Coordinates of all heavy atoms in Angstrom, one line a residue:
P716 N -33.8 7.3 -0.2 CA -32.4 7.4 -0.1 C -31.8 6.0 0.2 O -32.4 5.2 0.9 CB -32.1 8.3 1.1 CG -33.4 8.3 1.9 CD -34.5 8.0 0.9
I717 N -30.7 5.7 -0.4 CA -30.0 4.5 -0.1 C -29.1 4.6 1.1 O -28.3 5.5 1.2 CB -29.0 4.1 -1.3 CG1 -29.9 3.9 -2.6 CG2 -28.2 2.9 -1.1 CD1 -29.1 3.7 -3.9
P718 N -29.4 3.7 2.1 CA -28.6 3.8 3.3 C -27.1 3.5 3.1 O -26.8 2.7 2.2 CB -29.2 2.8 4.3 CG -29.9 1.8 3.4 CD -30.3 2.6 2.1
P719 N -26.2 4.0 3.9 CA -24.8 3.7 3.7 C -24.5 2.2 3.9 O -25.2 1.6 4.8 CB -24.1 4.6 4.7 CG -25.1 4.9 5.7 CD -26.4 4.9 5.0
R720 N -23.6 1.7 3.2 CA -23.2 0.3 3.4 C -22.5 0.0 4.7 O -21.7 0.8 5.1 CB -22.4 -0.2 2.2 CG -23.2 -0.1 0.9 CD -24.4 -1.0 0.8 NE -25.1 -0.8 -0.4 CZ -26.4 -0.7 -0.5 NH1 -27.1 -0.8 0.6 NH2 -27.0 -0.5 -1.6
S721 N -22.7 -1.2 5.2 CA -21.9 -1.6 6.4 C -20.5 -1.9 6.1 O -20.2 -2.5 5.1 CB -22.6 -2.8 7.1 OG -21.9 -3.2 8.2
R722 N -19.6 -1.6 7.0 CA -18.2 -2.0 6.9 C -18.0 -3.4 7.5 O -16.9 -4.0 7.4 CB -17.3 -1.0 7.6 CG -17.4 0.3 7.0 CD -16.5 1.3 7.6 NE -16.4 1.2 9.1 CZ -15.5 1.9 9.8 NH1 -14.7 2.7 9.2 NH2 -15.5 1.7 11.1
L723 N -19.0 -4.0 8.1 CA -18.9 -5.3 8.8 C -19.2 -6.4 7.8 O -20.0 -6.3 6.9 CB -19.9 -5.3 10.0 CG -19.7 -4.2 11.0 CD1 -20.8 -4.3 12.1 CD2 -18.3 -4.3 11.6
Y724 N -18.7 -7.6 8.1 CA -18.9 -8.8 7.3 C -20.4 -9.2 7.5 O -21.0 -9.0 8.5 CB -18.1 -9.9 7.8 CG -16.6 -9.7 7.7 CD1 -15.7 -10.1 8.8 CD2 -16.0 -9.2 6.6 CE1 -14.4 -9.9 8.7 CE2 -14.6 -9.0 6.5 CZ -13.8 -9.3 7.5 OH -12.5 -9.1 7.5
N725 N -20.9 -9.7 6.4 CA -22.3 -10.2 6.4 C -22.3 -11.7 6.8 O -22.2 -12.6 6.0 CB -22.9 -10.0 5.0 CG -24.3 -10.5 5.0 OD1 -25.0 -10.6 6.0 ND2 -24.8 -10.7 3.8
L726 N -22.2 -12.0 8.1 CA -22.2 -13.3 8.6 C -23.6 -13.9 8.7 O -24.6 -13.2 9.1 CB -21.6 -13.4 10.0 CG -20.2 -13.0 10.2 CD1 -19.8 -13.1 11.6 CD2 -19.3 -13.8 9.3
E727 N -23.8 -15.1 8.3 CA -25.1 -15.8 8.4 C -25.3 -16.3 9.8 O -24.4 -17.0 10.3 CB -25.1 -17.0 7.4 CG -26.4 -17.7 7.3 CD -27.5 -16.9 6.6 OE1 -27.1 -16.0 5.7 OE2 -28.7 -17.1 6.9
P728 N -26.4 -15.9 10.5 CA -26.6 -16.5 11.8 C -26.6 -18.0 11.8 O -27.1 -18.6 10.8 CB -27.9 -15.9 12.2 CG -28.1 -14.7 11.4 CD -27.4 -15.0 10.1
I729 N -26.1 -18.6 12.8 CA -26.1 -20.1 12.9 C -27.5 -20.6 13.3 O -28.1 -20.1 14.3 CB -25.0 -20.5 13.9 CG1 -23.6 -20.1 13.4 CG2 -25.1 -22.0 14.2 CD1 -22.5 -20.3 14.4
G730 N -27.9 -21.7 12.7 CA -29.1 -22.4 13.1 C -30.5 -21.8 12.7 O -31.5 -22.1 13.4
I731 N -30.5 -20.9 11.7 CA -31.8 -20.3 11.3 C -32.7 -21.4 10.9 O -32.4 -22.3 10.2 CB -31.5 -19.3 10.2 CG1 -30.8 -18.1 10.7 CG2 -32.9 -18.9 9.5 CD1 -30.8 -16.9 9.9
G732 N -34.0 -21.3 11.4 CA -35.0 -22.3 11.0 C -35.0 -23.5 12.0 O -35.7 -24.5 11.7
T733 N -34.1 -23.5 13.0 CA -34.1 -24.6 13.9 C -34.3 -24.0 15.3 O -34.2 -22.8 15.5 CB -32.7 -25.3 13.9 OG1 -31.7 -24.5 14.5 CG2 -32.3 -25.6 12.5
P734 N -34.6 -24.9 16.3 CA -34.7 -24.5 17.7 C -33.4 -24.0 18.3 O -33.4 -23.4 19.4 CB -35.3 -25.7 18.4 CG -35.6 -26.7 17.4 CD -34.9 -26.3 16.1
Y735 N -32.3 -24.2 17.6 CA -31.0 -23.9 18.1 C -30.4 -22.6 17.4 O -29.2 -22.5 17.3 CB -30.1 -25.1 17.9 CG -30.6 -26.3 18.5 CD1 -31.2 -27.3 17.7 CD2 -30.7 -26.5 19.9 CE1 -31.7 -28.4 18.2 CE2 -31.3 -27.6 20.5 CZ -31.8 -28.6 19.6 OH -32.4 -29.7 20.2
V736 N -31.2 -21.7 17.1 CA -30.8 -20.5 16.4 C -29.9 -19.7 17.3 O -30.1 -19.6 18.5 CB -31.9 -19.6 15.9 CG1 -32.7 -19.1 17.0 CG2 -31.5 -18.6 14.9
E737 N -28.8 -19.1 16.8 CA -27.9 -18.3 17.5 C -28.5 -17.1 18.1 O -29.3 -16.4 17.5 CB -26.8 -17.9 16.5 CG -25.7 -17.1 17.1 CD -24.6 -16.8 16.1 OE1 -24.9 -16.6 14.9 OE2 -23.4 -16.8 16.5
S738 N -28.1 -16.7 19.3 CA -28.6 -15.5 20.0 C -28.0 -14.3 19.4 O -26.9 -14.4 18.8 CB -28.4 -15.6 21.5 OG -27.0 -15.5 21.7
L739 N -28.6 -13.1 19.6 CA -28.0 -11.9 19.2 C -26.6 -11.6 19.8 O -25.7 -11.2 19.2 CB -28.9 -10.7 19.5 CG -28.4 -9.3 19.1 CD1 -28.1 -9.2 17.6 CD2 -29.4 -8.2 19.5
T740 N -26.5 -12.0 21.1 CA -25.3 -11.8 21.8 C -24.2 -12.7 21.2 O -23.1 -12.3 21.0 CB -25.4 -12.2 23.3 OG1 -26.5 -11.4 23.9 CG2 -24.1 -12.1 24.1
G741 N -24.5 -14.0 20.9 CA -23.6 -14.9 20.3 C -23.2 -14.4 18.9 O -22.0 -14.5 18.5
Y742 N -24.1 -13.8 18.1 CA -23.8 -13.3 16.8 C -22.8 -12.1 16.9 O -21.8 -12.0 16.2 CB -25.1 -12.8 16.1 CG -24.9 -12.3 14.7 CD1 -24.7 -13.2 13.7 CD2 -24.8 -10.9 14.5 CE1 -24.5 -12.7 12.4 CE2 -24.5 -10.4 13.2 CZ -24.4 -11.3 12.2 OH -24.2 -10.9 10.9
V743 N -23.1 -11.2 17.9 CA -22.2 -10.0 18.0 C -20.8 -10.5 18.4 O -19.8 -9.9 17.9 CB -22.8 -9.0 19.0 CG1 -21.8 -7.9 19.4 CG2 -24.1 -8.4 18.4
I744 N -20.7 -11.4 19.3 CA -19.4 -11.9 19.7 C -18.6 -12.6 18.6 O -17.5 -12.3 18.3 CB -19.5 -13.0 20.9 CG1 -20.0 -12.2 22.2 CG2 -18.2 -13.7 21.1 CD1 -20.5 -13.2 23.3
R745 N -19.3 -13.3 17.8 CA -18.7 -14.0 16.6 C -18.3 -13.0 15.6 O -17.2 -13.1 14.9 CB -19.7 -15.0 16.0 CG -19.1 -16.0 15.1 CD -20.0 -17.2 14.9 NE -21.3 -16.8 14.4 CZ -21.7 -16.8 13.1 NH1 -20.8 -17.0 12.2 NH2 -22.9 -16.4 12.8
L746 N -19.1 -11.9 15.4 CA -18.8 -10.9 14.4 C -17.5 -10.1 14.9 O -16.6 -9.9 14.0 CB -20.0 -9.9 14.3 CG -19.9 -8.8 13.3 CD1 -19.7 -9.4 11.9 CD2 -21.1 -7.9 13.4
A747 N -17.4 -9.8 16.2 CA -16.2 -9.2 16.7 C -15.0 -10.1 16.4 O -13.9 -9.6 16.0 CB -16.4 -8.9 18.1
E748 N -15.1 -11.4 16.7 CA -14.0 -12.3 16.5 C -13.6 -12.3 15.0 O -12.4 -12.4 14.7 CB -14.4 -13.7 16.9 CG -14.5 -13.9 18.4 CD -15.0 -15.2 18.8 OE1 -15.5 -16.0 18.0 OE2 -15.0 -15.5 20.1
Q749 N -14.5 -12.3 14.1 CA -14.2 -12.3 12.7 C -13.4 -11.0 12.3 O -12.6 -11.1 11.3 CB -15.5 -12.4 11.8 CG -16.1 -13.8 11.9 CD -15.2 -14.9 11.3 OE1 -14.7 -14.7 10.2 NE2 -15.0 -15.9 12.0
H750 N -13.6 -9.9 13.0 CA -13.0 -8.7 12.7 C -11.7 -8.5 13.5 O -11.0 -7.5 13.4 CB -13.9 -7.5 12.9 CG -14.9 -7.3 11.8 ND1 -14.6 -6.7 10.6 CD2 -16.2 -7.8 11.7 CE1 -15.7 -6.7 9.9 NE2 -16.6 -7.4 10.5
C751 N -11.4 -9.5 14.3 CA -10.2 -9.5 15.2 C -10.2 -8.3 16.1 O -9.1 -7.6 16.3 CB -8.9 -9.5 14.4 SG -8.7 -11.0 13.4
I752 N -11.3 -8.0 16.7 CA -11.4 -6.9 17.7 C -12.3 -7.5 18.9 O -12.9 -8.5 18.8 CB -12.1 -5.7 17.1 CG1 -13.5 -5.9 16.6 CG2 -11.2 -5.0 16.1 CD1 -14.3 -4.7 16.2
T753 N -12.3 -6.8 20.0 CA -13.1 -7.2 21.1 C -14.5 -6.8 20.9 O -14.9 -6.0 20.1 CB -12.6 -6.5 22.4 OG1 -12.8 -5.1 22.3 CG2 -11.1 -6.8 22.7
T754 N -15.4 -7.5 21.6 CA -16.8 -7.2 21.5 C -17.1 -5.8 21.9 O -17.9 -5.1 21.3 CB -17.6 -8.2 22.4 OG1 -17.3 -9.5 22.0 CG2 -19.1 -8.0 22.2
R755 N -16.3 -5.3 22.9 CA -16.5 -3.9 23.4 C -16.1 -2.9 22.3 O -16.8 -2.0 22.1 CB -15.6 -3.7 24.6 CG -15.6 -2.3 25.1 CD -14.6 -2.2 26.3 NE -14.3 -0.8 26.6 CZ -15.0 0.0 27.4 NH1 -16.1 -0.4 27.9 NH2 -14.6 1.2 27.6
Q756 N -15.0 -3.2 21.6 CA -14.6 -2.3 20.5 C -15.7 -2.3 19.4 O -16.0 -1.2 18.9 CB -13.3 -2.7 19.9 CG -12.1 -2.5 20.8 CD -10.8 -3.1 20.2 OE1 -10.8 -4.3 19.8 NE2 -9.8 -2.3 20.1
L757 N -16.2 -3.4 19.1 CA -17.3 -3.5 18.1 C -18.5 -2.7 18.5 O -19.0 -1.9 17.7 CB -17.7 -5.0 17.8 CG -18.8 -5.1 16.8 CD1 -18.3 -4.8 15.4 CD2 -19.3 -6.5 16.8
L758 N -18.9 -2.9 19.7 CA -20.1 -2.1 20.2 C -19.9 -0.6 20.2 O -20.7 0.2 19.8 CB -20.5 -2.7 21.5 CG -21.1 -4.1 21.5 CD1 -21.3 -4.6 22.9 CD2 -22.4 -4.1 20.7
L759 N -18.7 -0.2 20.8 CA -18.5 1.2 21.0 C -18.1 1.9 19.7 O -18.5 3.1 19.5 CB -17.3 1.4 22.0 CG -17.6 1.0 23.4 CD1 -16.4 1.2 24.3 CD2 -18.8 1.9 24.0

């Protein structure tokens, strides 16, 4: 079965392949900002 598509933007994590790769927490915060919602709203 094909899983349903995400409604969220497909953001590229910052710093992939470097020692300075973005944390999951940082990614979620940035994703919420891109959608103009709070991190809490995104998570819930």
Side-chain angles (χ1 to χ4, degrees):
I717 298 174
R720 299 294 177 224
S721 174
R722 300 183 318 171
L723 302 174
Y724 299 135
N725 183 19
L726 298 181
E727 185 73 26
I729 296 171
I731 290 195
T733 73
Y735 306 105
V736 68
E737 181 175 34
S738 68
L739 178 59
T740 303
Y742 181 82
V743 170
I744 292 168
R745 197 164 55 92
L746 187 60
E748 288 173 351
Q749 289 295 311
H750 285 277
C751 299
I752 60 174
T753 66
T754 304
R755 177 182 164 83
Q756 289 173 309
L757 179 71
L758 292 171
L759 292 177

